[in-house]
Amino acid sequence: MIKLKLPLSKDAIKSLKAGDEVSLSGTIFTARDAAHQRLSELIKKGKRLPIDLAASCIYYAGPTPARPGMAIGSCGPTTSSRMDAFTPALIDRGLMGMIGKGGRSSDVRNAIKKHGAVYFLATGGVGALLAAKVKSSKVIAYADLGTEAIHRLVVEDFPVIVGIDPKGRDIYDKAKRKKA
Amino acid sequence: MRKIHVSKIKETVKKLCLKANFELRKDILCALRAAEKKEKSPRARTILKEIIENAELAKKKRVAICQDTGVVSVFLEIGRDAALTGGNLEKAINSGVAEAYKEGYLRKSVVGDPFLRKNTGTNTPSVINIDVVEGSRVRIAVSPKGFGSENKSRIKMFNPTAPIKEIKKFIIDTAVEAGPSACPPLVLGVGIGGTFDKAAHLAKKALLRPINKPNPNKRIKILEKDILKEINASGMGPMGLGGKTTILGVNMLEYPTHIAGLPVAVNISCHATRSAEAVL
């Protein structure tokens, strides 16, 4: 298990390989479909974004509300490919890490390779387990979107697997090759 | 006539929504435990262990098994000798859902207009299916289903003369092409026959049946078993990262159909296949 601190630095992630198990500690932002659409509109209009993308890590997630006394509710990853169309523009603006589930488009893979970014996989459907790794959660933009708002999460030892490494190698290509 | 007040229906729907979201079905949990023992790949075993541990934690802490607490499909079988009193049935069902999602800290994932996409804030309306049956009882089943898997579902209108292997291929391809983001190991609900809409309805309803209970029709039971075996032979494995466990169960439901057609609907469901039911 490789331990990484957030925000991610290019140096710290450059030797990661698709398939590596990593535990993440530090600050991440949640954003999914509706937030991506809004961020993309701001980028198109050349306006300022509500979060600083430089060296940031986005978690594709929409948590359940927190019970009193808990930091967050259930919070597993959602399908990453729905964000594919918006992602290269975010990577161009400094986004360094993404956490989600499932494969990505070749455009996303190329953007990851070009900028030395990284895509992590979290296990889908284990939101209660992953919630225990979240120490705090705060809505910082688009509160009107409810669960789809951008939350700032502080996580500790959040378990992920490298899905696409900074050289553009994809874990699912490996899985497919093994089968063949 | 046996009188049943709709408030009783509301309370039952509420209770079932909470149960379904916090307690993974026993049949699913058993299948996961058996799969974990059979897996050789360390990564597949780790993921299956996580899924089992997650189910235990969710039940203990009353936290949703999965953050995608879904659109709630509600299935009612109303006995023809039961009289529902006290008001609007649909309203009662939806208030049961809304109360469960508020009090249970469950995610509200329903948007009103599909184009305008404003969250209704209550996780309602639910999708309500009503069948009238013999007797005076009311059977209620709820199935909160996430969209990671729902999005991968398919329907196809086959020719009536289509060979069975073509139909099998369609079902298997749908499951394998659903891929990692549908959260394998999957559960498949398959609806065969009826009309376009009936096949899809059957596919969803099939998911309510425990996966260790095969279809009573022997021919279909064999088909369920074959399809399960072939999908597991794909090697996709838990979360698509390799392994023997790509699917936990295949549940088929059939219905008479037209001379000119053979509709087949495949409703893909994830390892967190949730439902709960009660009889009033």
Side-chain angles (χ1 to χ4, degrees), chain A:
Chain A
M1 180 77 80
I2 302 162
K3 284 183 177 278
L4 282 180
K5 290 252 179 285
L6 299 151
L8 299 166
S9 76
K10 255 185 195 172
D11 258 3
I13 63 171
K14 70 178 179 205
S15 57
L16 290 178
K17 282 196 275 310
D20 283 348
E21 285 173 17
V22 175
S23 90
L24 299 172
S25 298
T27 301
I28 56 180
F29 299 107
T30 67
R32 45 173 294 154
D33 308 70
H36 272 78
Q37 198 167 27
R38 288 192 186 177
L39 292 174
S40 150
E41 274 158 25
L42 290 177
I43 289 172
K44 273 184 210 149
K45 287 181 189 152
K47 290 194 175 157
R48 233 187 108 191
L49 303 181
I51 53 170
D52 182 9
L53 285 177
S56 66
C57 183
I58 287 183
Y59 182 23
Y60 304 133
T64 63
R67 282 190 183 274
M70 291 179 80
I72 202 163
S74 192
C75 84
T78 195
T79 303
S80 307
S81 62
R82 293 198 314 270
M83 269 50 80
D84 281 355
F86 307 111
T87 299
L90 300 182
I91 295 177
D92 278 346
R93 279 156 188 81
L95 175 67
M96 188 79 75
M98 294 143 275
I99 309 169
K101 64 167 171 162
R104 307 301 305 260
S105 68
S106 53
D107 283 352
V108 170
R109 206 181 324 180
N110 291 338
I112 287 173
K113 195 174 167 183
K114 185 174 160 199
H115 294 274
V118 61
Y119 168 54
F120 297 112
L121 303 173
T123 302
V126 299
L129 205 60
L130 291 174
K133 309 292 181 189
V134 178
K135 300 303 152 189
S136 71
S137 163
K138 189 169 184 260
V139 172
I140 55 159
Y142 308 146
D144 62 302
L145 292 178
T147 184
E148 291 204 78
I150 297 181
H151 298 66
R152 185 199 291 125
L153 308 184
V154 176
V155 299
E156 212 176 283
D157 295 324
F158 193 89
V160 292
I161 297 170
V162 177
I164 303 174
D165 65 31
K167 295 203 170 64
R169 290 170 295 204
D170 190 326
I171 193 171
Y172 293 116
D173 285 347
K174 225 160 106 188
K176 265 181 223 152
R177 270 202 304 276
K178 224 185 216 171
K179 204 175 70 193

Side-chain angles (χ1 to χ4, degrees), chain A residues 62 67 74 76 123 129 179, chain B residues 50 54 62 64 67 107 181 234:
Chain A
R67 282 190 183 274
S74 192
T123 302
L129 205 60
K179 204 175 70 193
Chain B
E50 281 177 346
N54 181 71
R62 311 288 284 169
Q67 76 290 338
R107 195 176 85 182
S181 57
S234 73

Side-chain angles (χ1 to χ4, degrees), chain B:
Chain B
M1 285 300 245
R2 178 171 168 248
K3 283 186 183 166
I4 299 174
H5 200 276
V6 290
S7 65
K8 184 83 186 145
I9 304 231
K10 182 191 108 172
E11 285 309 314
T12 307
V13 167
K14 178 180 172 183
K15 208 173 73 190
L16 293 175
C17 284
L18 293 169
K19 184 173 183 218
N21 275 299
F22 298 145
E23 299 174 30
L24 191 60
R25 275 163 43 176
K26 278 203 184 85
D27 58 315
I28 306 282
L29 200 52
C30 278
L32 286 164
R33 288 199 173 114
E36 194 268 321
K37 287 200 181 84
K38 268 195 249 165
E39 276 289 356
K40 293 233 160 59
S41 143
R43 176 149 283 159
R45 291 189 69 169
T46 304
I47 293 171
L48 291 171
K49 273 187 195 151
E50 281 177 346
I51 295 170
I52 294 163
E53 198 188 328
N54 181 71
E56 287 160 359
L57 196 66
K59 188 175 175 183
K60 198 172 112 195
K61 295 206 162 177
R62 311 288 284 169
V63 169
I65 295 164
C66 174
Q67 76 290 338
D68 190 351
T69 50
V71 171
V72 183
S73 289
V74 182
F75 294 84
L76 264 88
E77 287 178 3
I78 303 176
R80 62 179 88 253
D81 298 321
L84 301 180
T85 62
N88 181 318
L89 174 64
E90 198 179 355
K91 236 188 212 164
I93 292 169
N94 282 325
S95 11
V97 171
E99 279 186 21
Y101 275 67
K102 183 163 187 275
E103 291 170 29
Y105 294 87
L106 302 173
R107 195 176 85 182
K108 288 78 179 168
S109 310
V110 176
V111 292
D113 181 299
F115 291 118
L116 300 177
R117 306 202 71 80
K118 190 174 170 349
N119 199 302
T120 62
T122 56
N123 214 52
T124 63
S126 53
V127 176
I128 303 172
N129 306 276
I130 298 176
D131 287 321
V132 177
V133 297
E134 291 303 322
S136 59
R137 291 178 184 271
V138 175
R139 178 185 290 270
I140 307 174
V142 305
S143 146
K145 189 164 180 306
F147 254 55
S149 56
E150 190 77 354
N151 277 339
K152 309 290 180 185
S153 304
R154 285 181 191 161
I155 188 160
K156 188 168 176 179
M157 307 302 279
F158 281 90
N159 281 334
T161 52
I164 195 88
K165 70 169 195 231
E166 223 176 83
I167 290 158
K168 264 168 86 173
K169 185 176 182 314
F170 168 69
I171 297 168
I172 292 163
D173 288 352
T174 302
V176 172
E177 284 161 25
S181 57
C183 284
L186 307 171
V187 176
L188 239 56
V190 183
I192 309 227
T195 48
F196 181 79
D197 53 316
K198 181 71 178 179
H201 169 73
L202 290 174
K204 168 116 326 144
K205 197 170 182 180
L207 291 170
L208 299 175
R209 197 172 77 215
I211 53 173
N212 52 359
K213 289 220 165 69
N215 187 297
N217 176 327
K218 202 175 155 201
R219 198 189 300 237
I220 292 177
K221 176 181 162 178
I222 292 169
L223 204 53
E224 288 176 339
K225 239 178 150 177
D226 282 357
I227 291 170
L228 181 103
K229 223 172 162 184
E230 285 196 41
I231 293 171
N232 277 331
S234 73
M236 184 160 78
M239 293 315 291
L241 296 175
K244 295 176 173 192
T245 322
T246 303
I247 188 157
L248 299 172
V250 178
N251 286 0
M252 292 185 153
L253 277 177
E254 73 282 20
Y255 195 80
T257 190
H258 190 278
I259 48 171
L262 176 44
V264 178
V266 182
N267 197 190
I268 302 277
S269 191
C270 56
H271 60 72
T273 292
R274 288 150 284 174
S275 68
E277 58 179 77
V279 179
L280 297 179

